[in-house]
mmCIF file of all heavy atoms in Angstrom:
data_model
loop_
_atom_site.group_PDB
_atom_site.id
_atom_site.type_symbol
_atom_site.label_atom_id
_atom_site.label_comp_id
_atom_site.label_asym_id
_atom_site.label_seq_id
_atom_site.Cartn_x
_atom_site.Cartn_y
_atom_site.Cartn_z
ATOM 1 N N PHE A 80 9.713 -11.627 -5.368
ATOM 2 C CA PHE A 80 10.773 -10.594 -5.462
ATOM 3 C C PHE A 80 11.279 -10.289 -4.060
ATOM 4 O O PHE A 80 10.687 -10.663 -3.059
ATOM 5 C CB PHE A 80 10.189 -9.294 -6.102
ATOM 6 C CG PHE A 80 9.178 -8.586 -5.298
ATOM 7 C CD1 PHE A 80 9.515 -7.540 -4.433
ATOM 8 C CD2 PHE A 80 7.836 -8.930 -5.400
ATOM 9 C CE1 PHE A 80 8.539 -6.861 -3.701
ATOM 10 C CE2 PHE A 80 6.806 -8.273 -4.657
ATOM 11 C CZ PHE A 80 7.210 -7.235 -3.789
ATOM 12 N N GLY A 89 18.878 3.772 -0.739
ATOM 13 C CA GLY A 89 17.473 3.531 -1.006
ATOM 14 C C GLY A 89 17.187 2.021 -1.004
ATOM 15 O O GLY A 89 18.029 1.174 -0.771
ATOM 16 N N GLU A 90 15.947 1.772 -1.355
ATOM 17 C CA GLU A 90 15.446 0.370 -1.364
ATOM 18 C C GLU A 90 14.572 0.205 -2.614
ATOM 19 O O GLU A 90 13.788 1.138 -2.932
ATOM 20 C CB GLU A 90 14.629 0.182 -0.088
ATOM 21 C CG GLU A 90 14.377 -1.273 0.224
ATOM 22 C CD GLU A 90 13.575 -1.419 1.556
ATOM 23 O OE1 GLU A 90 12.921 -0.475 1.963
ATOM 24 O OE2 GLU A 90 13.660 -2.502 2.114
ATOM 25 N N ALA A 91 14.653 -0.911 -3.263
ATOM 26 C CA ALA A 91 13.819 -1.131 -4.461
ATOM 27 C C ALA A 91 13.547 -2.609 -4.667
ATOM 28 O O ALA A 91 14.326 -3.458 -4.184
ATOM 29 C CB ALA A 91 14.483 -0.530 -5.667
ATOM 30 N N PRO A 92 12.471 -2.948 -5.318
ATOM 31 C CA PRO A 92 12.126 -4.333 -5.559
ATOM 32 C C PRO A 92 12.848 -4.950 -6.769
ATOM 33 O O PRO A 92 12.980 -4.308 -7.788
ATOM 34 C CB PRO A 92 10.621 -4.274 -5.846
ATOM 35 C CG PRO A 92 10.354 -2.934 -6.462
ATOM 36 C CD PRO A 92 11.445 -2.017 -5.882
ATOM 37 N N PHE A 93 13.242 -6.196 -6.643
ATOM 38 C CA PHE A 93 13.835 -6.909 -7.741
ATOM 39 C C PHE A 93 13.392 -8.357 -7.750
ATOM 40 O O PHE A 93 13.403 -9.016 -6.691
ATOM 41 C CB PHE A 93 15.397 -6.839 -7.660
ATOM 42 C CG PHE A 93 15.914 -5.447 -7.795
ATOM 43 C CD1 PHE A 93 16.291 -4.757 -6.637
ATOM 44 C CD2 PHE A 93 15.994 -4.821 -8.999
ATOM 45 C CE1 PHE A 93 16.721 -3.434 -6.711
ATOM 46 C CE2 PHE A 93 16.384 -3.441 -9.049
ATOM 47 C CZ PHE A 93 16.810 -2.766 -7.917
ATOM 48 N N SER A 94 13.060 -8.894 -8.885
ATOM 49 C CA SER A 94 12.617 -10.283 -9.008
ATOM 50 C C SER A 94 13.832 -11.178 -8.874
ATOM 51 O O SER A 94 14.911 -10.915 -9.358
ATOM 52 C CB SER A 94 12.025 -10.521 -10.385
ATOM 53 O OG SER A 94 10.945 -9.678 -10.602
ATOM 54 N N CYS A 108 19.085 -9.869 -11.459
ATOM 55 C CA CYS A 108 19.591 -9.301 -12.645
ATOM 56 C C CYS A 108 19.042 -7.860 -12.649
ATOM 57 O O CYS A 108 17.827 -7.653 -12.668
ATOM 58 C CB CYS A 108 19.159 -10.045 -13.879
ATOM 59 S SG CYS A 108 19.569 -9.199 -15.427
ATOM 60 N N ILE A 109 19.894 -6.889 -12.605
ATOM 61 C CA ILE A 109 19.475 -5.524 -12.408
ATOM 62 C C ILE A 109 19.900 -4.558 -13.506
ATOM 63 O O ILE A 109 21.081 -4.552 -13.893
ATOM 64 C CB ILE A 109 19.970 -5.046 -11.012
ATOM 65 C CG1 ILE A 109 19.292 -5.878 -9.898
ATOM 66 C CG2 ILE A 109 19.668 -3.523 -10.806
ATOM 67 C CD1 ILE A 109 19.756 -5.613 -8.520
ATOM 68 N N ARG A 110 18.963 -3.799 -13.985
ATOM 69 C CA ARG A 110 19.287 -2.781 -15.008
ATOM 70 C C ARG A 110 19.523 -1.420 -14.318
ATOM 71 O O ARG A 110 18.773 -1.050 -13.453
ATOM 72 C CB ARG A 110 18.098 -2.632 -15.957
ATOM 73 C CG ARG A 110 18.269 -1.496 -16.977
ATOM 74 C CD ARG A 110 17.044 -1.409 -17.902
ATOM 75 N NE ARG A 110 17.001 -2.546 -18.818
ATOM 76 C CZ ARG A 110 16.033 -2.769 -19.728
ATOM 77 N NH1 ARG A 110 15.000 -1.908 -19.768
ATOM 78 N NH2 ARG A 110 16.084 -3.781 -20.546
ATOM 79 N N VAL A 112 19.039 2.233 -13.949
ATOM 80 C CA VAL A 112 18.165 3.184 -14.438
ATOM 81 C C VAL A 112 18.044 4.457 -13.547
ATOM 82 O O VAL A 112 17.579 5.495 -13.995
ATOM 83 C CB VAL A 112 16.716 2.631 -14.563
ATOM 84 C CG1 VAL A 112 16.568 1.737 -15.769
ATOM 85 C CG2 VAL A 112 16.273 2.001 -13.269
ATOM 86 N N GLY A 113 18.531 4.331 -12.344
ATOM 87 C CA GLY A 113 18.319 5.464 -11.439
ATOM 88 C C GLY A 113 19.280 5.435 -10.258
ATOM 89 O O GLY A 113 20.320 4.770 -10.298
ATOM 90 N N ASN A 114 18.889 6.122 -9.207
ATOM 91 C CA ASN A 114 19.743 6.270 -7.985
ATOM 92 C C ASN A 114 20.372 4.994 -7.532
ATOM 93 O O ASN A 114 21.565 4.858 -7.466
ATOM 94 C CB ASN A 114 18.827 6.724 -6.875
ATOM 95 C CG ASN A 114 18.753 8.226 -6.772
ATOM 96 O OD1 ASN A 114 19.517 8.890 -7.458
ATOM 97 N ND2 ASN A 114 17.871 8.739 -5.996
ATOM 98 N N LEU A 115 19.510 4.075 -7.082
ATOM 99 C CA LEU A 115 19.976 2.919 -6.407
ATOM 100 C C LEU A 115 20.712 2.027 -7.416
ATOM 101 O O LEU A 115 21.754 1.464 -7.096
ATOM 102 C CB LEU A 115 18.714 2.162 -5.865
ATOM 103 C CG LEU A 115 19.012 0.835 -5.210
ATOM 104 C CD1 LEU A 115 19.397 1.032 -3.768
ATOM 105 C CD2 LEU A 115 17.866 -0.097 -5.307
ATOM 106 N N THR A 116 20.103 1.813 -8.581
ATOM 107 C CA THR A 116 20.689 0.923 -9.519
ATOM 108 C C THR A 116 21.989 1.404 -10.107
ATOM 109 O O THR A 116 22.890 0.597 -10.435
ATOM 110 C CB THR A 116 19.664 0.599 -10.611
ATOM 111 O OG1 THR A 116 19.124 1.767 -11.118
ATOM 112 C CG2 THR A 116 18.551 -0.295 -10.092
ATOM 113 N N ASN A 117 22.171 2.667 -10.234
ATOM 114 C CA ASN A 117 23.435 3.217 -10.668
ATOM 115 C C ASN A 117 24.525 2.989 -9.676
ATOM 116 O O ASN A 117 25.678 2.708 -9.970
ATOM 117 C CB ASN A 117 23.305 4.741 -10.988
ATOM 118 C CG ASN A 117 22.792 4.997 -12.382
ATOM 119 O OD1 ASN A 117 23.136 4.275 -13.316
ATOM 120 N ND2 ASN A 117 21.921 5.979 -12.491
ATOM 121 N N LEU A 155 13.479 -6.906 -20.288
ATOM 122 C CA LEU A 155 13.887 -7.333 -18.918
ATOM 123 C C LEU A 155 12.957 -8.391 -18.366
ATOM 124 O O LEU A 155 13.220 -8.982 -17.320
ATOM 125 C CB LEU A 155 13.841 -6.064 -18.036
ATOM 126 C CG LEU A 155 14.783 -6.011 -16.856
ATOM 127 C CD1 LEU A 155 16.237 -6.267 -17.264
ATOM 128 C CD2 LEU A 155 14.645 -4.671 -16.115
ATOM 129 N N VAL A 158 13.980 -11.763 -16.901
ATOM 130 C CA VAL A 158 14.572 -11.937 -15.603
ATOM 131 C C VAL A 158 13.692 -12.690 -14.615
ATOM 132 O O VAL A 158 14.151 -13.704 -14.077
ATOM 133 C CB VAL A 158 14.960 -10.511 -14.995
ATOM 134 C CG1 VAL A 158 15.450 -10.639 -13.563
ATOM 135 C CG2 VAL A 158 16.068 -9.897 -15.901
ATOM 136 N N PRO A 159 12.459 -12.274 -14.351
ATOM 137 C CA PRO A 159 11.552 -13.086 -13.498
ATOM 138 C C PRO A 159 11.226 -14.433 -14.075
ATOM 139 O O PRO A 159 10.892 -15.365 -13.371
ATOM 140 C CB PRO A 159 10.340 -12.204 -13.295
ATOM 141 C CG PRO A 159 10.357 -11.203 -14.378
ATOM 142 C CD PRO A 159 11.821 -11.010 -14.757
ATOM 143 N N LEU A 273 3.403 -8.116 -12.963
ATOM 144 C CA LEU A 273 3.241 -6.661 -13.191
ATOM 145 C C LEU A 273 4.265 -5.844 -12.413
ATOM 146 O O LEU A 273 4.782 -6.253 -11.357
ATOM 147 C CB LEU A 273 1.820 -6.209 -12.706
ATOM 148 C CG LEU A 273 0.585 -6.832 -13.361
ATOM 149 C CD1 LEU A 273 -0.659 -6.090 -12.855
ATOM 150 C CD2 LEU A 273 0.713 -6.720 -14.886
ATOM 151 N N GLU A 274 4.494 -4.693 -12.996
ATOM 152 C CA GLU A 274 5.463 -3.784 -12.310
ATOM 153 C C GLU A 274 4.739 -2.554 -11.779
ATOM 154 O O GLU A 274 3.860 -2.027 -12.475
ATOM 155 C CB GLU A 274 6.592 -3.362 -13.250
ATOM 156 C CG GLU A 274 7.641 -2.495 -12.522
ATOM 157 C CD GLU A 274 8.801 -2.037 -13.388
ATOM 158 O OE1 GLU A 274 9.016 -2.627 -14.488
ATOM 159 O OE2 GLU A 274 9.432 -1.118 -12.966
ATOM 160 N N ARG A 275 5.062 -2.171 -10.589
ATOM 161 C CA ARG A 275 4.484 -0.933 -10.021
ATOM 162 C C ARG A 275 5.574 -0.294 -9.152
ATOM 163 O O ARG A 275 6.490 -0.967 -8.754
ATOM 164 C CB ARG A 275 3.278 -1.211 -9.167
ATOM 165 C CG ARG A 275 1.968 -1.345 -9.932
ATOM 166 C CD ARG A 275 1.550 -0.081 -10.655
ATOM 167 N NE ARG A 275 0.352 -0.159 -11.403
ATOM 168 C CZ ARG A 275 0.174 -0.707 -12.595
ATOM 169 N NH1 ARG A 275 1.187 -1.314 -13.197
ATOM 170 N NH2 ARG A 275 -0.992 -0.705 -13.235
ATOM 171 N N ARG A 276 5.332 0.937 -8.802
ATOM 172 C CA ARG A 276 6.247 1.561 -7.848
ATOM 173 C C ARG A 276 6.004 0.928 -6.491
ATOM 174 O O ARG A 276 4.861 0.714 -6.070
ATOM 175 C CB ARG A 276 5.949 3.079 -7.805
ATOM 176 C CG ARG A 276 6.908 3.779 -6.882
ATOM 177 C CD ARG A 276 7.412 4.960 -7.595
ATOM 178 N NE ARG A 276 8.277 5.727 -6.738
ATOM 179 C CZ ARG A 276 8.818 6.837 -7.166
ATOM 180 N NH1 ARG A 276 8.614 7.308 -8.332
ATOM 181 N NH2 ARG A 276 9.638 7.483 -6.372
ATOM 182 N N MET A 277 7.115 0.670 -5.822
ATOM 183 C CA MET A 277 6.953 0.050 -4.496
ATOM 184 C C MET A 277 7.947 0.665 -3.481
ATOM 185 O O MET A 277 9.088 0.823 -3.770
ATOM 186 C CB MET A 277 7.356 -1.473 -4.590
ATOM 187 C CG MET A 277 6.340 -2.261 -5.397
ATOM 188 S SD MET A 277 6.700 -4.006 -5.354
ATOM 189 C CE MET A 277 5.402 -4.562 -6.391
ATOM 190 N N HIS A 278 7.395 0.994 -2.331
ATOM 191 C CA HIS A 278 8.275 1.586 -1.318
ATOM 192 C C HIS A 278 8.301 0.730 -0.061
ATOM 193 O O HIS A 278 9.070 0.975 0.829
ATOM 194 C CB HIS A 278 7.800 2.990 -0.934
ATOM 195 C CG HIS A 278 8.234 4.005 -1.935
ATOM 196 N ND1 HIS A 278 9.051 5.041 -1.650
ATOM 197 C CD2 HIS A 278 7.980 4.155 -3.263
ATOM 198 C CE1 HIS A 278 9.289 5.757 -2.726
ATOM 199 N NE2 HIS A 278 8.644 5.262 -3.726
ATOM 200 N N PRO A 299 3.511 -9.873 -7.441
ATOM 201 C CA PRO A 299 3.440 -9.315 -8.815
ATOM 202 C C PRO A 299 2.852 -10.316 -9.789
ATOM 203 O O PRO A 299 2.456 -9.913 -10.895
ATOM 204 C CB PRO A 299 4.918 -8.999 -9.116
ATOM 205 C CG PRO A 299 5.698 -9.972 -8.308
ATOM 206 C CD PRO A 299 4.879 -10.186 -7.058
ATOM 207 N N SER B 310 4.804 6.813 -10.624
ATOM 208 C CA SER B 310 5.862 6.795 -11.651
ATOM 209 C C SER B 310 6.892 5.743 -11.316
ATOM 210 O O SER B 310 7.210 5.541 -10.125
ATOM 211 C CB SER B 310 6.538 8.177 -11.766
ATOM 212 O OG SER B 310 7.262 8.442 -10.635
ATOM 213 N N VAL B 311 7.372 5.034 -12.311
ATOM 214 C CA VAL B 311 8.397 4.040 -12.001
ATOM 215 C C VAL B 311 9.748 4.397 -12.689
ATOM 216 O O VAL B 311 9.764 5.343 -13.476
ATOM 217 C CB VAL B 311 7.929 2.595 -12.468
ATOM 218 C CG1 VAL B 311 6.770 2.111 -11.624
ATOM 219 C CG2 VAL B 311 7.562 2.572 -13.945
ATOM 220 N N ALA B 312 10.737 3.629 -12.323
ATOM 221 C CA ALA B 312 12.030 3.933 -12.917
ATOM 222 C C ALA B 312 11.945 3.887 -14.435
ATOM 223 O O ALA B 312 11.176 3.128 -15.012
ATOM 224 C CB ALA B 312 13.031 2.905 -12.429
ATOM 225 N N GLY B 313 12.770 4.733 -15.079
ATOM 226 C CA GLY B 313 12.726 4.754 -16.515
ATOM 227 C C GLY B 313 11.756 5.776 -17.069
ATOM 228 O O GLY B 313 11.624 5.940 -18.242
HETATM 229 C C1 LIG C 12 7.996 -6.641 -8.583
HETATM 230 C C2 LIG C 12 9.113 -5.924 -9.310
HETATM 231 C C3 LIG C 12 10.217 -6.634 -9.724
HETATM 232 C C4 LIG C 12 11.236 -5.966 -10.340
HETATM 233 N N1 LIG C 12 12.313 -6.727 -10.815
HETATM 234 C C5 LIG C 12 13.304 -6.084 -11.387
HETATM 235 C C6 LIG C 12 14.449 -6.858 -11.804
HETATM 236 O O1 LIG C 12 14.499 -8.047 -11.684
HETATM 237 N N2 LIG C 12 15.465 -6.155 -12.423
HETATM 238 C C7 LIG C 12 15.484 -4.806 -12.598
HETATM 239 O O2 LIG C 12 16.434 -4.250 -13.104
HETATM 240 N N3 LIG C 12 14.422 -4.076 -12.202
HETATM 241 C C8 LIG C 12 13.353 -4.681 -11.594
HETATM 242 N N4 LIG C 12 12.267 -3.896 -11.161
HETATM 243 C C9 LIG C 12 12.306 -2.467 -11.371
HETATM 244 C C10 LIG C 12 13.185 -1.847 -10.309
HETATM 245 O O3 LIG C 12 12.540 -1.945 -9.037
HETATM 246 C C11 LIG C 12 13.459 -0.390 -10.617
HETATM 247 O O4 LIG C 12 14.231 -0.287 -11.778
HETATM 248 C C12 LIG C 12 14.244 0.216 -9.433
HETATM 249 O O5 LIG C 12 13.327 0.579 -8.419
HETATM 250 C C13 LIG C 12 14.886 1.502 -9.832
HETATM 251 O O6 LIG C 12 15.448 2.075 -8.715
HETATM 252 P P1 LIG C 12 16.406 3.302 -8.787
HETATM 253 O O7 LIG C 12 16.621 3.893 -7.458
HETATM 254 O O8 LIG C 12 17.674 2.941 -9.494
HETATM 255 O O9 LIG C 12 15.607 4.298 -9.721
HETATM 256 P P2 LIG C 12 15.000 5.717 -9.422
HETATM 257 O O10 LIG C 12 14.211 6.116 -10.596
HETATM 258 O O11 LIG C 12 16.120 6.670 -8.976
HETATM 259 O O12 LIG C 12 14.011 5.471 -8.283
HETATM 260 C C14 LIG C 12 13.952 6.171 -7.060
HETATM 261 C C15 LIG C 12 13.126 5.375 -6.068
HETATM 262 O O13 LIG C 12 11.814 5.173 -6.642
HETATM 263 C C16 LIG C 12 11.369 3.910 -6.387
HETATM 264 N N5 LIG C 12 11.079 3.286 -7.654
HETATM 265 C C17 LIG C 12 11.366 3.771 -8.871
HETATM 266 N N6 LIG C 12 10.982 2.946 -9.830
HETATM 267 C C18 LIG C 12 10.442 1.912 -9.247
HETATM 268 C C19 LIG C 12 9.830 0.731 -9.749
HETATM 269 N N7 LIG C 12 9.745 0.485 -11.020
HETATM 270 N N8 LIG C 12 9.412 -0.141 -8.888
HETATM 271 C C20 LIG C 12 9.486 0.084 -7.626
HETATM 272 N N9 LIG C 12 10.048 1.184 -7.075
HETATM 273 C C21 LIG C 12 10.537 2.105 -7.878
HETATM 274 C C22 LIG C 12 12.404 3.219 -5.582
HETATM 275 O O14 LIG C 12 11.953 3.151 -4.292
HETATM 276 C C23 LIG C 12 13.624 4.044 -5.700
HETATM 277 O O15 LIG C 12 14.298 4.156 -4.457
HETATM 278 C C24 LIG C 12 11.210 -4.540 -10.551
HETATM 279 C C25 LIG C 12 10.133 -3.882 -10.079
HETATM 280 C C26 LIG C 12 9.077 -4.496 -9.450
HETATM 281 C C27 LIG C 12 7.902 -3.722 -8.951
#
Side-chain angles (χ1 to χ4, degrees):
Chain A
F80 68 94
E90 196 178 23
F93 298 100
S94 302
C108 172
I109 295 175
R110 174 181 288 177
V112 287
N114 269 351
L115 175 89
T116 47
N117 278 322
L155 209 54
V158 173
L273 298 187
E274 184 178 343
R275 277 297 181 282
R276 184 129 177 184
M277 293 185 181
H278 282 243
Chain B
S310 68
V311 293

